[in-house]
Amino acid sequence: MRQSSLFPKTLRHQLSDEPSANAQLLTRGGFVFKNSAGVYSYLTLGWMVIGKIKKIVGEEMNAIGGAELYMPALVDRKYLEATDRFKLDVGFDVLGKKDRNAIYALGWTHEEVLTAIVSKYISSYKDLPIYLYQIQTKFRNETRAKSGVLRGKEFLMKDLYSFHVSEQDLFSYYEKVKEAYLKIFKRCGLDVYFTTAGGGAFTMSATHEFQVLSEVGEDEIFYCKICKTAKNKEIMDIEEKDKCKVCGGDILRGNSIEVGNIFPLGTKYSEAFDFQFTDGNGNKHLVVMGSYGIGISRLMGTIVEVHNDVKGILWPEEIAPFRAHLIYLPSNGGKTRGESEKIYDALRKAGVEVLYDDREDSTPGEKFADADLLGMPVRIVVSEKSIAAGGVEIKKREESEVRILGADKIDEEI
Ligand code: ATP
Ligand code: MG
């Protein structure tokens, strides 16, 4: 993509009202635009990042048998009334918060909707287990919407739900989801702690969270660096605050961001919708369920919180909107322009995702500052100097020294 046609331009100044790094850098880079507190538009580069995250999450969900679907954001009150959740203040009523005539809520989670659907089709043990997920906009009446895209009133979530004949089958799948989540977060360049949290109000045992250490995180965990496990503050016993029970390592305390969670739900929802299956002997049982969330948009913010320096973002390889940022520096005879165009074409032909700074009216300083702010993994500069030295100047975002490389070697190098 040519930077001359990229919308919007970057903002050079610091934003005085955005204390968090993700809000600051994502806004200045033109990845997102804040419409209201906790309500964001995703602009071209930001939407590309979201696309990369969705791709990783989708691949790992499919790898454990998940199948994607898409449910309505408008949730009829009949679903939420079945579990007595319509009264909760978590979501928004479509006709206004306090309107008792509201027919719909803006969905904040979809256990009820999906259980109602699946129960219409499945009645035999032969049709179980089944694993269904969606990536969808969720709505939460968050009063503490802050910290950029980390906590929104509107945000993107991946929600997976599993349906089983037994608790045992649920827990064997629960382990698979755990492993899939660890792969997802690793591919996103994040170091996560598998964190034991309290049993949710209705769940039958402990629930688990995936936490990333960060000063801006609203959660607090006690973690072991060696075995990468943690306990949420809420369930921490005093005597455990010293040594790790798993491996004997030191226990440390830190603020953290919850990027995902997994819940054994038991039969709460199948009971509410009378969702039963018949076993091999003709006996009926309630279906056992699990639910598993990942905050897709929160993940983007978390990656920025972890991967940034004073100059801007450093996107992990699989998340960067473009693999390379090709920078053209104008020269008197127009020689660098021709060379830059040639390299841009060759890279695209080789299948390299490249952002091409083809702007005539920006200074080298402005171009370099943009490249640092936007954070593509590799920077390639075409200048008179680089051509005289035999090619292009190349460096990784985290490196300070550039190297000269023959133009025909770029593809191979990156
Ligand atoms: P939190 O404790 O942070 O409020 P939660 O327990 O309400 O999260 P879930 O309702 O289970 O979380 O949502 C699943 C995932 O969606 C969370 O793990 C988190 O990554 C993300 N998420 C939850 N609320 C928000 C929000 N308001 N903005 C952005 N992401 C969110
Ligand atoms: Mg919440």
Side-chain angles (χ1 to χ4, degrees):
M1 179 180 211
R2 287 173 188 271
Q3 207 169 334
S4 57
S5 56
L6 175 66
F7 174 84
K9 290 199 172 89
T10 57
L11 303 173
R12 303 238 175 275
H13 54 278
Q14 293 280 331
L15 309 171
S16 54
D17 55 344
E18 295 290 7
S20 67
N22 82 85
Q24 186 73 232
L25 297 172
L26 290 172
T27 306
R28 283 180 48 211
F31 292 85
V32 302
F33 179 85
K34 182 163 78 178
N35 295 96
S36 310
V39 183
Y40 281 84
S41 292
Y42 292 82
L43 306 180
T44 301
L45 286 179
W47 193 240
M48 290 177 84
V49 170
I50 293 288
K52 295 283 171 112
I53 297 173
K54 281 161 71 172
K55 179 169 179 282
I56 294 172
V57 171
E59 283 170 7
E60 299 299 345
M61 288 297 98
N62 295 346
I64 54 168
E68 190 173 5
L69 47 64
Y70 192 77
M71 288 180 273
L74 285 178
V75 176
D76 193 308
R77 62 186 295 164
K78 70 183 176 189
Y79 293 112
L80 299 168
E81 277 166 352
T83 51
D84 213 20
R85 292 211 287 182
F86 189 67
K87 59 176 197 211
L88 294 186
D89 252 4
V90 188
F92 298 93
D93 298 347
V94 174
L95 297 181
K97 258 323 285 150
K98 295 297 166 211
D99 194 327
R100 278 182 291 117
N101 297 319
I103 308 169
Y104 297 104
L106 288 172
W108 72 84
T109 180
H110 280 73
E111 281 85 1
E112 287 91 346
V113 179
L114 187 57
T115 307
I117 296 172
V118 176
S119 69
K120 293 280 185 288
Y121 294 90
I122 286 179
S123 55
S124 161
Y125 73 98
K126 291 179 186 157
D127 299 325
L128 294 169
I130 181 164
Y131 322 115
L132 298 165
Y133 74 94
Q134 64 171 347
I135 294 177
Q136 189 211 32
T137 303
K138 292 281 193 281
F139 300 87
R140 300 273 169 97
N141 190 11
E142 301 276 7
T143 45
R144 27 170 206 161
K146 57 168 193 182
S147 305
V149 297
L150 294 183
R151 182 173 295 285
K153 291 185 169 141
E154 176 175 329
F155 62 98
L156 273 171
M157 191 202 284
K158 184 282 302 174
D159 39 332
L160 165 74
Y161 305 90
S162 67
F163 301 85
H164 308 265
V165 295
S166 65
E167 269 189 35
Q168 192 192 353
D169 194 55
L170 163 65
F171 280 108
S172 86
Y173 190 65
Y174 197 81
E175 273 307 304
K176 285 190 190 161
V177 179
K178 172 189 166 184
E179 293 307 320
Y181 271 34
L182 293 175
K183 282 188 199 157
I184 289 169
F185 299 126
K186 188 166 183 204
R187 290 176 68 182
C188 289
L190 295 173
D191 211 9
V192 298
Y193 285 86
F194 181 67
T195 304
T196 307
F202 306 103
T203 59
M204 53 200 195
S205 66
T207 66
H208 295 91
E209 301 164 344
F210 296 78
Q211 298 275 0
V212 175
L213 290 172
S214 166
E215 272 312 309
V216 300
E218 292 177 24
D219 286 5
E220 197 177 322
I221 58 168
F222 290 83
Y223 63 99
C224 170
K225 264 188 173 168
I226 299 166
C227 64
K228 292 280 172 195
T229 59
K231 277 196 169 184
N232 198 305
K233 182 181 138 197
E234 269 95 62
I235 60 152
M236 195 68 192
D237 299 328
I238 303 294
E239 70 271 20
E240 289 177 314
K241 284 187 178 165
D242 199 16
K243 293 283 172 205
C244 174
K245 276 197 173 155
V246 183
C247 71
D250 289 339
I251 293 292
L252 305 163
R253 191 212 71 83
N255 289 14
S256 60
I257 304 169
E258 177 191 314
V259 286
N261 57 27
I262 54 180
F263 293 98
L265 295 173
T267 55
K268 170 179 150 67
Y269 296 93
S270 50
E271 229 174 300
F273 290 90
D274 193 29
F275 181 15
Q276 303 195 38
F277 68 93
T278 312
D279 67 19
N281 301 318
N283 299 318
K284 288 191 153 192
H285 308 271
L286 287 169
V287 170
V288 180
M289 292 171 55
S291 79
Y292 318 83
I294 288 184
I296 300 285
S297 43
R298 181 181 286 183
L299 252 182
M300 169 169 166
T302 306
I303 292 166
V304 175
E305 290 294 336
V306 172
H307 297 288
N308 73 77
D309 63 16
V310 287
K311 293 175 178 169
I313 302 169
L314 292 85
W315 291 113
E317 252 170 56
E318 278 206 70
I319 303 298
F322 296 95
R323 175 92 184 89
H325 200 156
L326 173 66
I327 296 176
Y328 148 70
L329 298 186
S331 63
N332 281 334
K335 192 173 167 193
T336 54
R337 181 82 203 197
E339 185 64 14
S340 301
E341 295 285 332
K342 257 198 331 218
I343 294 170
Y344 179 50
D345 281 345
L347 286 176
R348 283 195 311 162
K349 278 206 187 90
V352 178
E353 295 169 321
V354 52
L355 177 62
Y356 171 30
D357 190 347
D358 59 339
R359 296 171 303 174
E360 294 289 353
D361 52 359
S362 309
T363 66
E366 285 167 343
K367 290 183 176 225
F368 294 150
D370 271 359
D372 284 336
L373 176 60
L374 298 178
M376 305 319 153
V378 181
R379 191 186 83 179
I380 302 161
V381 178
V382 181
S383 64
E384 274 183 52
K385 210 174 92 194
S386 78
I387 293 174
V392 299
E393 276 182 359
I394 189 165
K395 78 168 194 75
K396 290 192 177 145
R397 173 62 179 81
E398 69 272 18
E399 292 171 347
S400 48
E401 297 298 317
V402 301
R403 283 170 295 132
I404 296 289
L405 195 70
D408 53 331
K409 298 264 164 29
I410 302 173
D411 182 17
E412 189 179 310
E413 172 82 11
I414 65 180

